Amino acid sequence: GAVVSQHPSWVICKSGTSVKIECRSLDFQATTMFWYRQFPKQSLMLMATSNEGSKATYEQGVEKDKFLINHASLTLSTLTVTSAHPEDSSFYICSARVGTGTGELFFGEGSRLTVL
Amino acid sequence: AQKVTQAQTEISVVEKEDVTLDCVYETRDTTYYLFWYKQPPSGELVFLIRRNSFDEQNEISGRYSWNFQKSTSSFNFTITASQVVDSAVYFCALSVGYGGSQGNLIFGKGTKLSVKP
């Protein structure tokens, strides 16, 4: 199947710093990518939908100024956690859609963020 | 509103036992997709199956099988002759409509399966 790669796979940062997580579709173009957040032993919650060349659509309760999403190309979307705090510590997973419409979704390996 | 319920939080079986993971979904849309994903301890999500709302045929893939019943809004997943490598958290998910922002997945809370040797 198609490959979606996330980088970094894990990151530790100090409170107050910003962290950028990249999501790349390696062998296909992804018009739409999704960012999810997963707390320990919990389900995945959709944070935002990222469309190439346009502003991301955020889910209710997700601070768009806190979680900056940029989808500048058909193979790359980035999530920047600004001024990170310990409560932002979580597992962040992106997924990318193959093509449009009902194209299959593929998930990245996830990025584990720990804010000290 | 859409919702996915996985009532079983944790299941523990002994190797070679068969195990069924339950999934019940709610949606008013007539067009939707159902998914199962496996999440091993390493964290990545492994795609297992996608089924659209117009295809109620059951599917078998090796030791895995899925039973989709619209009448009960269920999409259950059975592993036959379970193996230790099957130990993981399994998520059932729902996607409604076609394309774009309507294609995001709504996940159940997951079922943690432990297969003991």
Side-chain angles (χ1 to χ4, degrees), chain B residues 30-88:
Chain B
T30 55
T31 301
Y32 53 89
Y33 289 81
L34 295 164
F35 302 77
W36 275 95
Y37 286 89
K38 174 182 180 180
Q39 187 178 42
S42 51
E44 77 277 15
L45 281 177
V46 179
F47 169 83
L48 296 178
I49 190 172
R50 178 179 76 164
R51 171 68 73 229
N52 74 54
S53 54
F54 301 108
D55 181 4
E56 278 194 82
Q57 274 191 326
N58 292 329
E59 177 147 343
I60 298 174
S61 176
R63 296 185 297 108
Y64 296 168
S65 62
W66 291 268
N67 185 336
F68 177 28
Q69 291 194 342
K70 291 177 76 170
S71 60
T72 55
S73 297
S74 65
F75 187 44
N76 297 336
F77 172 34
T78 298
I79 302 175
T80 57
S82 60
Q83 299 176 3
V84 173
V85 293
D86 296 327
S87 298

Side-chain angles (χ1 to χ4, degrees), chain A residues 32 34 36 38 41-44 46 49 51 57 59 91 93 97 100-110 112, chain B residues 33 35 37 39 41-45 47 50 91 95 97-110:
Chain A
T32 304
F34 302 91
Y36 292 83
Q38 185 180 29
K41 297 184 179 181
Q42 293 192 26
S43 188
L44 287 80
L46 179 68
T49 302
N51 291 296
T57 302
E59 295 300 300
F91 192 58
I93 306 177
R97 178 187 304 287
T100 58
T102 58
E104 193 168 333
L105 292 174
F106 289 90
F107 283 81
E109 315 96 314
R112 190 167 303 281
Chain B
Y33 289 81
F35 302 77
Y37 286 89
Q39 187 178 42
S42 51
E44 77 277 15
L45 281 177
F47 169 83
R50 178 179 76 164
F91 289 98
S95 172
Y98 285 106
S101 61
Q102 292 179 301
N104 58 281
L105 296 182
I106 299 152
F107 285 85
K109 293 189 175 182

Side-chain angles (χ1 to χ4, degrees), chain A:
Chain A
V3 178
V4 176
S5 177
Q6 274 185 248
H7 177 81
S9 55
W10 59 272
V11 57
I12 301 173
C13 70
K14 292 182 179 179
S15 186
T17 60
S18 294
V19 174
K20 179 184 285 188
I21 301 170
E22 295 185 345
C23 177
R24 292 181 185 275
S25 56
L26 297 186
D27 50 0
F28 67 98
Q29 293 184 329
T31 305
T32 304
M33 290 185 177
F34 302 91
W35 286 95
Y36 292 83
R37 182 174 181 176
Q38 185 180 29
F39 290 103
K41 297 184 179 181
Q42 293 192 26
S43 188
L44 287 80
M45 300 298 297
L46 179 68
M47 298 175 65
T49 302
S50 167
N51 291 296
E52 187 267 337
S54 63
K55 290 184 178 180
T57 302
Y58 290 81
E59 295 300 300
Q60 192 173 11
V62 178
E63 300 175 60
K64 59 181 66 176
D65 295 330
K66 173 75 171 176
F67 299 100
L68 300 179
I69 292 173
N70 184 286
H71 194 157
S73 77
L74 286 172
T75 58
L76 174 64
S77 176
T78 60
L79 166 68
T80 301
V81 183
T82 62
S83 187
H85 290 282
E87 58 265 29
D88 299 324
S89 299
S90 191
F91 192 58
Y92 295 89
I93 306 177
C94 74
S95 70
R97 178 187 304 287
V98 177
T100 58
T102 58
E104 193 168 333
L105 292 174
F106 289 90
F107 283 81
E109 315 96 314
S111 299
R112 190 167 303 281
L113 170 63
T114 301
V115 184
L116 302 176

